[in-house]
Amino acid sequence: MKKRIIILGCTGSIGQSTIELVREFPDLFEIVGLQANTNEQKLLELAKEFSCTQLCLTGKNIGADVLNSRIIFYGKSSVNNLIKNTDADIVVNGISGAAGLIPSVTTLECGKNLALANKETMVLAGNIINKIAEENNVKILPVDSEHSAIFSLIEKCGKDNIANITITASGGPFKNLTKEELNEVTLEQALNHPTWNMGPKITIDSATLANKGLEVIEANQLFGLSAEKINVVIHPQSLIHSLVQTKDGQFYAQISKPDMRHPILSALTYPEIVENSLEQVDFSKPFSMEFQPPRYENFPMLKLAFDALKKGNSYPIVYNAANEIAVVAFRNKQIKFTDIAKAVENVMNFDWSKTCTTIEEVVEVDCEARNKTLTALKELN
Ligand code: MG
């Protein structure tokens, strides 16, 4: 039987990669629901191509409309109705940023498996999310390439045998720049990622290493490993997507071309492994793989993520919220590249030791952190 898929963020980079896989495997998958934020035309094109009738556009004001003989529901909460009212086996959450949290909650509460590309879900509310998944007896299948790698390596090696994990990072476009040079980088340079082709927010996060920071926190929540058991290594070729080390000291790595369709396919077909036509690593030609430790002093966003993880409580929420706001300011050319980390650090200096036990509390802290960041940004200027 075909797996019925809802794609959230269907016009974004994860959504598009998922759609390519559905085109390649029409016998395995069926698209039953689509969500986009603002790109209505693309949403309708996809709906037509896949004969999908359950549609929503969350970036428009509330309501509904009939377009090209299809009903589209509008408004922020329409995504929850889409998830609730559509029979599906799995929801791919490719929404960017904290906006992906509530749709993840709804997915799990409705008893649907979650193919999770939205790392903020685990960063903001990992404890709550894990509990909801357990209560509803559904799986969280990581789509982030590093976490997909670790997920399958842990399954293969056995959780009890894992001593620690090593998350690889491409290092982004600025991995070799000095502190002084980093001070002068432009938005255009930050948007030019050497190995991955992704949306603008995550591309900038890759340049500051905030993306890796978020992934460290995400790994902690997904795999229940403490900060001390999570390492990061710069690996510019992005061929090894992460490693685990077993108790006997051996390292195991997952290797594939940097193409998000690999981890998405793993999540969609789990627990099966299927043949496919994606480009593979070719050992018949020479190539090399390099590794270097991260330069924490020049990329403070990575260090701040470990700080947030060690402090726990609401600090990870604040780390993410402050970064989202600071990145918007950088994209609007209101602040410098290096100001992103300064703003985040300033906001994290407040007392965030409150523990959130409900999603409402998470949203509250998130909101407060965003407001404090706006103030911190004004003080930087
Ligand atoms: Mg990643």
Side-chain angles (χ1 to χ4, degrees):
M1 214 172 89
K2 286 187 193 181
K3 259 190 194 161
R4 298 161 302 172
I5 308 172
I6 296 175
I7 306 176
L8 309 181
C10 68
T11 61
S13 153
I14 294 291
Q16 288 301 300
S17 294
T18 309
I19 282 159
E20 284 170 32
L21 287 169
V22 177
R23 286 194 188 111
E24 185 180 337
F25 294 100
D27 299 337
L28 290 185
F29 309 123
E30 179 187 0
I31 297 175
V32 291
L34 291 165
Q35 177 271 346
N37 188 28
T38 51
N39 195 340
E40 190 159 19
Q41 198 191 332
K42 182 89 194 169
L43 178 70
L44 283 166
E45 280 170 25
L46 292 170
K48 195 172 168 213
E49 178 182 349
F50 295 99
S51 308
C52 175
T53 52
Q54 300 286 73
L55 309 174
C56 78
L57 196 74
T58 40
K60 248 194 178 182
N61 281 338
I62 218 147
D65 204 350
V66 182
L67 283 169
N68 297 0
S69 70
R70 283 172 212 284
I71 302 173
I72 302 191
F73 292 93
Y74 298 119
K76 221 174 164 185
S77 62
S78 62
V79 64
N80 297 315
N81 295 331
L82 173 84
I83 298 164
K84 276 182 204 159
N85 298 324
T86 309
D87 275 331
D89 302 298
I90 190 161
V91 176
V92 176
N93 186 349
I95 294 174
S96 163
L101 173 62
I102 303 290
S104 287
V105 172
T106 308
T107 298
L108 298 169
E109 282 178 345
C110 293
K112 295 178 170 85
N113 290 320
L114 177 63
L116 186 61
N118 175 268
K119 57 196 76 182
E120 290 80 3
T121 292
M122 297 312 285
V123 171
L124 266 58
N127 289 338
I128 304 169
I129 290 287
N130 283 329
K131 208 169 143 231
I132 299 173
E134 203 177 309
E135 282 167 2
N136 291 280
N137 198 20
V138 281
K139 280 247 170 220
I140 301 169
L141 300 157
V143 166
D144 210 346
S145 58
E146 296 78 2
H147 304 78
S148 168
I150 295 163
F151 180 82
S152 48
L153 289 166
I154 290 179
E155 284 228 330
K156 287 172 178 89
C157 295
K159 191 163 181 25
D160 294 343
N161 297 321
I162 304 295
N164 59 63
I165 60 173
T166 299
I167 301 176
T168 51
S170 72
F174 306 142
K175 60 181 173 300
N176 297 320
L177 298 193
T178 63
K179 220 170 204 163
E180 293 69 37
E181 288 167 334
L182 283 168
N183 235 337
E184 304 305 325
V185 299
T186 65
L187 174 63
E188 290 71 24
Q189 289 168 324
L191 285 171
N192 189 13
H193 195 277
T195 46
W196 292 100
N197 183 11
M198 308 172 289
K201 159 72 169 53
I202 187 170
T203 303
I204 291 166
D205 284 352
S206 298
T208 60
L209 295 196
N211 183 52
K212 213 45 57 179
L214 292 169
E215 289 181 356
V216 166
I217 302 170
E218 185 188 8
N220 157 266
Q221 292 294 341
L222 279 172
F223 308 117
L225 294 165
S226 63
E228 293 71 29
K229 292 185 173 175
I230 304 174
N231 306 303
V232 174
V233 66
I234 305 293
H235 164 46
Q237 291 79 18
S238 303
L239 291 169
I240 293 188
H241 297 293
S242 276
L243 307 100
V244 299
Q245 188 174 26
T246 45
K247 281 189 225 158
D248 56 359
Q250 313 256 23
F251 281 101
Y252 295 85
Q254 186 266 324
I255 307 177
S256 57
K257 286 272 177 182
D259 180 338
M260 284 310 292
R261 288 175 296 177
H262 283 294
I264 297 169
L265 186 61
S266 300
L268 290 180
T269 57
Y270 178 86
E272 315 286 332
I273 289 176
V274 298
E275 281 182 37
N276 59 76
S277 59
L278 298 176
E279 191 187 353
Q280 293 170 15
V281 174
D282 181 1
F283 287 99
S284 70
K285 297 190 184 85
F287 67 91
S288 34
M289 293 199 277
E290 299 158 76
F291 304 93
Q292 47 187 275
R295 295 183 298 146
Y296 289 95
E297 66 293 355
N298 287 5
F299 292 91
M301 284 305 293
L302 185 56
K303 189 187 167 291
L304 288 168
F306 275 102
D307 291 347
L309 186 52
K310 285 173 189 160
K311 286 184 169 173
N313 300 317
S314 293
Y315 285 91
I317 306 171
V318 175
Y319 173 84
N320 176 71
N323 179 55
E324 279 193 25
I325 295 294
V327 168
V328 170
F330 175 64
R331 285 179 68 186
N332 292 336
K333 302 196 174 180
Q334 290 160 339
I335 60 167
K336 288 202 292 188
F337 181 76
T338 41
D339 287 339
I340 298 174
K342 281 182 198 159
V344 173
E345 187 170 11
N346 287 349
V347 179
M348 277 176 62
N349 279 335
F350 289 95
D351 178 12
W352 300 101
S353 55
K354 171 191 156 88
T355 309
C356 298
T357 51
T358 64
I359 294 293
E360 289 71 27
E361 286 171 355
V362 170
V363 173
E364 229 169 79
V365 171
D366 178 73
C367 226
E368 195 187 336
R370 280 164 201 267
N371 287 332
K372 284 216 157 65
T373 313
L374 290 172
T375 313
L377 287 171
K378 274 183 206 141
E379 285 163 6
L380 277 177
N381 285 328

